[in-house]
Amino acid sequence: MPRLPSSLKWLIDRRGRVDGEIKKIEASLAKCQRLATALEELKARLASIDATMDLHEIQIDPKNIPTIRSQYVRVNLPHGELTRCIVLCLKLNEGLPISTEAITSFVVARCADLDTEQEHFSRLKSSVRYRLKDLSKAGIVKGHHKRGVDGLWSLHDK
C-alpha cells in the first residue's frame, strides 16, 4: 500500500474537520428551530390562558401577574453524553484527581456553548456533581475529598 503524501493527509484531515463543524452547526440550527417551535407553542398557550381569564367575572390584568421561573432545568445533552464526557475527562487526566469545576469546564468546552452564562454553568455543575456521586456509588469513579468540599475525582482503579 503506497504511503499518503503529507499534503493529501493534511487535506483529508482538514476536510474532516470542516465537515465536523458543518454537522455541529447544522445540529445547532436544528435545535434552534425546535426551540422556536416550542416558543411559538408556549406563546399560543399563554394567549389562550389570557383569553380564558378575560371570560372570568373577576377581571385581572394578565400583565400584572408576575413571571414564575421553573426551578428544574435539564441539561440538554443526548442520553449518556454527560457520563461519557466525565469518564473521558478523567481518562485524559491519567489517574490524577481532578476537581468538579474542571470536569464541568471540560463538559462545557466539549458539549455546550463556550459563552455559557454563569447561571447555566452552575446548573451544569450540579448535574455533573450528581452524576459523579452516582458513578462513585457504582464504583466507576472515586472521590478524594471530604464532604462539603469541592470534589476531587479520579477513575477507580480496577
Side-chain angles (χ1 to χ4, degrees):
M1 181 167 182
R3 184 172 172 247
L4 284 176
S6 61
S7 59
L8 183 58
K9 172 130 178 58
W10 181 86
L11 283 172
I12 292 169
D13 181 68
R14 189 72 190 142
R15 190 213 180 275
R17 290 180 190 277
V18 170
D19 190 36
E21 286 298 312
I22 289 170
K23 289 196 181 354
K24 186 175 167 183
I25 291 171
E26 285 174 344
S28 294
L29 284 173
K31 179 182 175 184
C32 287
Q33 290 169 343
R34 285 191 306 272
L35 287 173
T37 302
L39 177 63
E40 291 304 316
E41 290 172 3
L42 287 172
K43 283 183 177 182
R45 192 179 308 164
L46 183 63
S48 68
I49 292 171
D50 288 349
T52 305
M53 285 180 68
D54 283 341
L55 298 175
H56 202 281
E57 61 185 60
I58 300 173
Q59 292 297 307
I60 297 175
D61 184 11
K63 303 292 184 212
N64 292 334
I65 299 173
T67 301
I68 301 172
R69 291 182 53 177
S70 300
Q71 294 298 316
Y72 178 76
V73 175
R74 184 184 177 289
V75 176
N76 194 14
L77 293 174
H79 181 75
E81 188 62 28
L82 183 60
T83 302
R84 281 189 284 278
C85 285
I86 290 171
V87 170
L88 177 62
C89 179
L90 294 173
K91 277 182 184 176
L92 292 174
N93 211 38
E94 298 175 353
L96 298 173
I98 186 167
S99 71
T100 306
E101 181 102 15
I103 295 170
T104 305
S105 296
F106 179 84
V107 172
V108 167
R110 195 166 162 82
C111 300
D113 296 330
L114 294 178
D115 57 348
T116 300
E117 297 174 19
Q118 185 60 35
E119 181 181 345
H120 293 106
F121 185 83
S122 298
R123 291 179 185 151
L124 181 60
K125 186 175 177 184
S126 289
S127 296
V128 168
R129 188 180 311 113
Y130 286 123
R131 191 66 201 125
L132 282 164
K133 285 180 185 178
D134 289 343
L135 290 171
S136 178
K137 287 177 188 173
I140 297 170
V141 301
K142 68 178 174 182
H144 300 275
H145 57 278
K146 297 177 184 174
R147 286 185 179 240
V149 179
D150 193 28
L152 291 173
W153 304 91
S154 68
L155 285 176
H156 203 295
D157 299 329
K158 292 189 177 183

